[in-house]
Amino acid sequence: MSFMSVLQSILLVTALAGTASVLVAASFSLSLLSKMVDNMVSVSVGILLATALLHSLPEAFTMAGASPQLLFATLLAGLLGFFLLEKIALLRHSHHHEGDGHGHHHGHDAEVAGRSGWMILVGDGLHNFVDGILIAAAFMADYQLGIFTAIAIIAHEIPQEIGDFIVLLNAGFTRTRALMYNFICGLAAVVGGVLAYFFLEKANAAMPYLLVIASSSFIYIAVSDLIPQMHRRPHWAESLRQTILIACGVGFVILLSLLH
């Protein structure tokens, strides 16, 4: 393939891979899931944890040249970094708005900030960026391999995007706003693909660490924001339903992984 045809293919396919899964996930979410946000939070926990622990982290640790010690250090730094980002958001909104005389209930501004939503967007953007690098590398090796890689990535992104969409709705984003931000994050795949085309060697070296940072955001959101919400409903029947829904989220990721 010529210079332009390879680059054009990378642009086209990364744009499709970055946005197709968002649109598919949104179609499911808008029609079926948005009215069941409370229950779908449990599904999102399963999807986010399974994506991080069964897909992204194993992939990062099996990449050539990746140091396990540095990867674990990156995971720790990512978790602490997202904690600090959340803490800064809480302090900033508390300082500027709480007690401003406008009749907000305690915690109102932290809820409006949708801090977990913003963090999930950061992780999703990084994950899509890495997907773009993977697609570009595959196309530069073989055109057919590039097509198959893109199809595999789209299939695997669908459950993650559903989880992200529900997290955004739960964080207070409107459906239109959640779709728009997910769509923008999807375009990070195009950026990753183009940069990988011109700087593949350097991009490959950074990929495992980007995957770990993205994984740390998924783990942090699930464990620090979503699971505590679920603990506020401690009834046995509700706990059983939550456990089953988490298992469904995990199973969804495993099933789609097996299919490709």
Side-chain angles (χ1 to χ4, degrees), residues 140-203:
M140 293 170 70
D142 179 75
Y143 184 82
Q144 189 176 34
L145 178 61
I147 295 295
F148 287 147
T149 300
I151 292 172
I153 285 174
I154 290 172
H156 199 93
E157 283 288 304
I158 289 171
Q160 181 201 314
E161 294 295 345
I162 290 175
D164 292 351
F165 197 84
I166 293 300
V167 171
L168 293 177
L169 292 178
N170 186 66
F173 286 64
T174 64
R175 292 179 294 178
T176 300
R177 196 173 173 215
L179 177 59
M180 180 184 70
Y181 281 119
N182 260 347
F183 191 83
I184 292 171
C185 285
L187 294 178
V190 179
V191 178
V194 172
L195 290 179
Y197 184 87
F198 293 104
F199 308 103
L200 184 60
E201 185 175 347
K202 292 182 180 180

Side-chain angles (χ1 to χ4, degrees), residues 82-171:
F82 283 109
F83 165 76
L84 291 175
L85 284 175
E86 185 175 35
K87 184 65 70 175
I88 290 171
L90 280 170
L91 291 173
R92 181 169 62 87
H93 283 273
S94 175
H95 174 73
H96 288 294
H97 297 290
E98 295 292 358
D100 57 5
H102 292 167
H104 300 322
H105 65 273
H106 181 70
H108 167 82
D109 296 294
E111 293 169 9
V112 173
R115 57 192 185 279
S116 62
W118 290 113
M119 286 188 288
I120 206 70
L121 289 172
V122 172
D124 191 32
L126 285 172
H127 200 272
N128 289 326
F129 182 80
V130 172
D131 286 342
I133 295 174
L134 290 171
I135 291 171
F139 266 107
M140 293 170 70
D142 179 75
Y143 184 82
Q144 189 176 34
L145 178 61
I147 295 295
F148 287 147
T149 300
I151 292 172
I153 285 174
I154 290 172
H156 199 93
E157 283 288 304
I158 289 171
Q160 181 201 314
E161 294 295 345
I162 290 175
D164 292 351
F165 197 84
I166 293 300
V167 171
L168 293 177
L169 292 178
N170 186 66

Side-chain angles (χ1 to χ4, degrees), residues 16-28:
L16 181 63
T19 58
S21 58
V22 174
L23 295 175
V24 172
S27 67
F28 277 106

Side-chain angles (χ1 to χ4, degrees), residues 42-43 46 230 236-250:
S42 301
V43 178
M230 295 159 59
W236 281 106
E238 181 67 20
S239 299
L240 178 60
R241 181 164 57 251
Q242 290 171 346
T243 302
I244 293 172
L245 290 172
I246 291 173
C248 288
V250 173

